[in-house]
Amino acid sequence: IYGMPAFVTIPTNDLAASTDFWVRGLGFFELFAIPGQVVHLRRWAFQDVLLVPADDIPEQAPAVRVNFACVLGQINPLVEACRALRPDSVDGPRDTPWNSREVEVITPENARVVFTAAKPLDPNSQEARNLAAVGITPPDSSSDNGDHA
């Protein structure tokens, strides 16, 4: 056991099906499992999910959502993978006023999971002007490929 600064515990009535969706759809990998008890999934450092058995799961997604950072180039493949596994599981992607692109996924356990990627900032955009108006100089994104790991 090691310290995790934060993690999400997701109850499921089918550990195998949930693990499959989180791995093939959302890009996590199985770090370890105790059969029938827990599956520990990880995507990046400090992006940990524990799948645990439960008799009942919510019939609809809760209002609370968990967000994970990703890079811009991962959004479309994640959308395609999730839609291939569960066609109605994806909402988005959509661009936000805070210069990111997000996609929301409802997992088989009815968890609301959002992946957020920073978008390169156009120095001539309204977003850049808004930042400059409050004294923030955005970094030069002219060589930015969107792969922020």
Side-chain angles (χ1 to χ4, degrees), residues 75 78-79 90-94 101-105 113-116:
I75 294 283
L78 185 138
V79 167
V90 177
D91 182 20
R94 65 185 157 276
R101 183 162 296 146
E102 294 184 347
V103 62
E104 182 176 281
V105 178
V113 181
V114 177
F115 286 84
T116 303

Side-chain angles (χ1 to χ4, degrees), residues 10-139:
I10 304 288
T12 176
N13 57 11
D14 188 337
L15 278 171
S18 293
T19 300
D20 182 61
F21 185 83
W22 283 79
V23 169
R24 292 192 314 134
L26 299 176
F28 283 75
F29 65 91
E30 186 175 315
L31 193 60
F32 73 86
I34 300 172
Q37 300 296 312
V38 66
V39 177
H40 182 170
L41 303 171
R42 173 168 289 161
R43 191 168 165 281
W44 290 350
F46 312 123
Q47 293 185 349
D48 294 278
V49 172
L50 302 180
L51 299 175
V52 297
D55 292 331
D56 295 314
I57 60 171
E59 291 187 29
Q60 66 183 49
V64 175
R65 59 189 211 173
V66 60
N67 290 59
F68 292 103
C70 65
V71 295
L72 196 55
Q74 294 175 322
I75 294 283
N76 288 339
L78 185 138
V79 167
E80 292 168 12
C82 289
R83 284 189 175 140
L85 294 167
R86 297 189 61 186
D88 296 329
S89 65
V90 177
D91 182 20
R94 65 185 157 276
D95 292 338
T96 69
W98 45 91
N99 206 48
S100 69
R101 183 162 296 146
E102 294 184 347
V103 62
E104 182 176 281
V105 178
I106 305 299
T107 69
E109 317 78 30
N110 284 323
R112 189 179 305 271
V113 181
V114 177
F115 286 84
T116 303
K119 294 179 359 187
L121 185 61
D122 176 354
N124 299 313
S125 68
Q126 184 61 49
E127 291 90 353
R129 288 191 293 279
N130 293 343
L131 290 171
V134 296
I136 299 172
T137 304

